Amino acid sequence: MQTMLRAMASTSLRQMVSVALKSRALAVPVKLQMEVASPLLSSSVALQQPWWRQACKPIWSSTVQVHLVSSTTLKLLLQKPQFCLRAFCASVSAAISSVHTLEADEDAPPATLKTKKLTKSVKHIMELLDKEAVEAANKVKVIPNIKPGNVVQLKVEVPENKRRVSVLRGIVIARRNAGSHTTFRIRRMIAGVGVEMVFPLYSPNIKEIKILDKRRVRRAKLYYLRDKIARLSSC
Amino acid sequence: MTAIWDKWGARIPMTVLWVNDNHVIQVKSLEKHGHVALQIGAGQKKAKQLTKPELGHFKAAGVPLKRHLAEFPVTEDALLPVGTEISVRHFQPGQYVDITGITTGKGFQGGMKRWGFAGMPASHGASLSHRSLGSTGGRQDPGKVFKGKKMAGHMGAVRRTVKNVWIYKIEPERDLLWVRGQVPGHKGNFVYIKDAFYKKPDLSVLPFPTYFASADDDTSPLIAELGETDPYLQE
């Protein structure tokens, strides 16, 4: 019985929002004590975005008190705190309205459920994960904004070489933005030979990036330095 | 697909899988269906997007409407009641799984791409046959081309399984699963994840029959154990 209740409550998650929103009066006694409840409920079809569409703040706080049918329903809700208000008020209305209301509007699509193409949703998820990875990397250490034309000095730890820290210097000739795999290319003349090195900007093996000089360039990619005199690539 | 750096600074290619609202829709039994299996549904769907037989199937079970259904043969002691939610915590980081999916369709492709044929030289007199199959058999004996001869044809869009995929990270709050390496199919395609056949996990450690969430769970991400000693400093 408990699982059936849980299943019913989860059906109501999607399909009962229409009842709550259509009734509009909200005279349906919504016995909540919630801080953000009233302005959101009183607005008309306010679409609540899923967690991957925006940086979702939890809609309710932990001090909410709800009168629910069973404890299993409460558990189902508390599992996903990021889920939107629609799930919350849906189960509340299910708790208050009797079972016959469940069958009344079963075929009506819920007003706030968007079933977009999955390729779109997963794209949003990946972008969000990438952004979080970049933010996490920025928190660990300060990564300066290196641009082409900067002369930088790197302290790179090479794990394969018994974790020795090597100091590398050069002029940044390219920067490719790709979220957490943003890479930049460094060029330098070493013993008369031009050497180019590519590094991921957010790699944990780059211990320090120091900008020594900023040369004035009028390009985003300085590949022309490969054909120029050696003096321009030595730093 | 993305890539991350693990705690020792090694770069691991990753695929992110999203266990989107998996519920048990139907339990198949020996008496009624002839085999023992669980039918699991994933995703969400609006009622207007489903046909009446499909709607009835979900209504009969009393479960939310799903986008995709799949059957998983299980042993009798691993059967779950209808409506049970299967979350990402069913798996554990460090475990190996087999992932099955429909591969990316490549259309009509030639022998070089489809079977890895070497083709013929680009110059030195090769006439009009740089990418062709070459010979297809003998002469009067056998006097025919054998069945199954590798030739050009439709490639991709078939069901394939990638075995022994290592799970790196689990995020229970957002139902995300990070696995190492590639997975068949495009972004947004459905895949089926099972415990690995050849690297069988330890059943005493894994949740059996599945992970039943409780309200006071720790929903922080879990990462696989990578050992305490630095693999790069041991020689």
Side-chain angles (χ1 to χ4, degrees):
Chain A
M1 194 52 207
Q2 281 224 325
T3 31
M4 275 313 294
L5 270 176
R6 200 155 83 143
M8 266 192 342
S10 55
T11 323
S12 67
L13 282 182
R14 304 272 178 257
Q15 295 173 342
M16 283 316 294
V17 180
S18 48
V19 176
L21 289 177
K22 275 181 191 171
S23 67
R24 200 53 71 113
L26 293 165
V28 174
V30 180
K31 291 178 195 146
L32 315 165
Q33 291 165 28
M34 209 161 74
E35 284 130 44
V36 208
S38 14
L40 280 167
L41 284 177
S42 55
S43 69
S44 55
V45 198
L47 283 183
Q48 298 293 324
Q49 305 279 11
W51 60 265
W52 60 85
R53 288 306 300 275
Q54 63 191 38
C56 244
K57 291 168 288 236
I59 303 289
W60 67 71
S61 66
S62 54
T63 59
V64 84
Q65 287 172 31
V66 185
H67 301 265
L68 284 177
V69 176
S70 67
S71 57
T72 48
T73 332
L74 182 63
K75 275 186 220 164
L76 186 68
L77 289 177
L78 285 179
Q79 268 168 43
K80 297 191 184 177
Q82 299 277 29
F83 244 106
C84 331
L85 183 64
R86 56 189 163 95
F88 194 85
C89 74
S91 77
V92 167
S93 59
I96 291 156
S97 53
S98 52
V99 181
H100 67 261
T101 355
L102 272 172
E103 276 114 58
D105 275 66
E106 245 168 2
D107 292 323
T112 54
L113 172 65
K114 288 198 148 215
T115 51
K116 283 201 184 293
K117 269 199 175 108
L118 279 179
T119 39
K120 260 195 195 175
S121 321
V122 301
K123 196 170 119 176
H124 291 305
I125 293 177
M126 293 308 288
E127 282 173 5
L128 187 68
L129 292 177
D130 199 41
K131 210 159 48 146
E132 286 176 0
V134 168
E135 280 167 16
N138 275 325
K139 277 209 193 93
V140 169
K141 66 171 181 273
V142 170
I143 295 168
N145 179 30
I146 55 177
K147 297 200 305 203
N150 293 4
V151 177
V152 300
Q153 175 164 302
L154 308 177
K155 284 214 174 76
V156 179
E157 179 192 280
V158 184
E160 288 87 0
N161 195 13
K162 304 233 183 7
R163 295 211 180 264
R164 272 175 224 150
V165 180
S166 44
V167 178
L168 303 165
R169 207 167 61 212
I171 176 170
V172 176
I173 60 169
R175 179 195 163 120
R176 175 188 178 275
N177 291 313
S180 62
H181 194 53
T182 302
T183 54
F184 61 98
R185 211 179 179 112
I186 282 184
R187 181 178 168 83
R188 193 188 172 186
M189 297 299 286
I190 298 179
V193 177
V195 176
E196 285 183 10
M197 292 167 272
V198 180
F199 298 99
L201 189 60
Y202 297 106
S203 162
N205 295 322
I206 299 180
K207 295 304 175 192
E208 198 197 313
I209 304 178
K210 205 163 42 167
I211 301 180
L212 303 172
D213 187 24
K214 287 186 186 165
R215 284 203 216 159
R216 181 170 179 268
V217 289
R218 302 194 65 179
R219 292 242 151 354
K221 305 282 189 290
L222 316 179
Y223 300 136
Y224 63 85
L225 288 176
R226 296 170 184 163
D227 305 319
K228 292 284 188 177
I229 55 173
R231 181 175 58 82
L232 290 172
S233 300
S234 55
C235 23
Chain B
M1 260 202 78
T2 102
I4 55 103
W5 283 279
D6 68 2
K7 74 173 186 183
W8 301 119
R11 191 134 169 93
I12 310 181
M14 291 269 140
T15 305
V16 184
L17 303 174
W18 182 29
V19 180
N20 185 14
D21 279 352
N22 282 21
H23 287 98
V24 175
I25 306 295
Q26 194 184 9
V27 178
K28 300 222 164 164
S29 56
L30 266 175
E31 309 87 42
K32 241 179 143 186
H33 304 101
H35 61 284
V36 182
L38 286 177
Q39 189 185 79
I40 295 178
Q44 300 96 21
K45 202 95 164 161
K46 292 186 202 172
K48 71 168 185 181
Q49 293 170 336
L50 289 173
T51 61
K52 283 205 179 144
E54 287 169 343
L55 263 180
H57 181 65
F58 292 115
K59 250 190 244 185
V63 287
L65 308 176
K66 294 294 177 194
R67 188 179 273 268
H68 191 80
L69 294 175
E71 224 178 79
F72 292 87
V74 288
T75 47
E76 290 228 13
D77 53 348
L79 289 176
L80 296 165
V82 169
T84 315
E85 176 164 9
I86 297 185
S87 73
V88 127
R89 299 198 73 157
H90 181 89
F91 300 104
Q92 278 190 351
Q95 183 192 349
Y96 288 94
V97 287
D98 292 341
I99 301 183
T100 309
I102 311 277
T103 54
T104 311
K106 305 241 158 50
F108 195 102
Q109 290 297 337
M112 283 180 80
K113 191 178 185 76
R114 197 171 180 223
W115 301 112
F117 289 164
M120 265 152 262
S123 71
H124 290 305
S127 46
L128 307 174
S129 50
H130 303 285
R131 297 182 67 94
S132 70
L133 304 172
S135 162
T136 51
R139 212 183 190 216
Q140 193 172 16
D141 176 34
K144 64 174 184 178
V145 177
F146 293 127
K147 274 199 193 299
K149 173 83 195 63
K150 290 181 182 173
M151 286 185 167
H154 186 256
M155 181 180 170
V158 286
R159 184 179 153 121
R160 288 283 184 263
T161 304
V162 176
K163 295 198 187 141
N164 300 331
V165 177
W166 184 62
I167 296 183
Y168 173 74
K169 182 172 157 185
I170 278 176
E171 215 177 292
E173 214 177 289
R174 303 194 283 199
D175 294 325
L176 294 174
L177 195 63
W178 268 259
V179 296
R180 174 171 62 192
Q182 297 90 351
V183 150
H186 261 302
K187 281 187 265 209
N189 282 9
F190 283 97
V191 292
Y192 314 118
I193 314 174
K194 294 190 227 178
D195 292 332
F197 186 83
Y198 290 112
K199 289 194 182 170
K200 288 203 190 338
D202 190 2
L203 270 181
S204 60
V205 175
L206 289 185
F208 184 85
T210 189
Y211 183 85
F212 295 106
S214 52
D216 51 346
D217 269 345
D218 177 30
T219 52
S220 55
L222 304 162
I223 300 184
E225 289 296 322
L226 289 163
E228 290 305 319
T229 49
D230 192 346
Y232 292 110
L233 286 180
Q234 310 161 7
E235 277 306 329

